[in-house]
Amino acid sequence: MVGVVVTAAAALAAGYLLGRLRPWQRLGDWAADQVRFTGTWARGGAGRQAVVVLAHAVTAPRTSWRIMRAPATETQAPVPVRDPDWLANRT
């Protein structure tokens, strides 16, 4: 009887802690941020990429599928072009 009460109390405490900490939601938010804001994929290495993709696919399968189907877009800041005759063109 005591074992049942201890098991029930442990399960209740574990459920409460998981509800407060929300590890699944935190993992999903982290993975979404990494996918969205990391930039160049080569920066993290193959192991990090695998962890991010796996975490994102597990926590947000519909979003992951949409991201995987979308074509990759290269976002780079425009490089300023220097005018070799800037001195002659000054006003």
Side-chain angles (χ1 to χ4, degrees), residues 8-25:
L12 183 65
Y16 175 77
L17 284 174
L18 287 174
R20 295 292 290 169
L21 297 176
R22 299 176 193 259
W24 194 257
Q25 184 177 3

Side-chain angles (χ1 to χ4, degrees), residues 29-90:
D29 291 344
W30 173 82
D33 287 343
Q34 294 300 310
V35 168
R36 193 174 302 127
F37 299 117
T38 297
T40 307
W41 273 98
R43 198 178 307 162
R48 183 170 183 271
Q49 292 172 17
V51 168
V52 168
V53 168
L54 180 64
H56 196 268
V58 168
T59 57
R62 289 200 295 178
T63 306
S64 298
W65 183 249
R66 187 172 53 239
I67 288 172
M68 285 186 280
R69 287 185 314 173
T73 58
E74 187 70 28
T75 57
Q76 292 181 350
V79 177
V81 178
R82 295 178 186 238
D83 184 13
D85 297 324
W86 70 272
L87 185 60
N89 294 334
R90 285 193 322 180

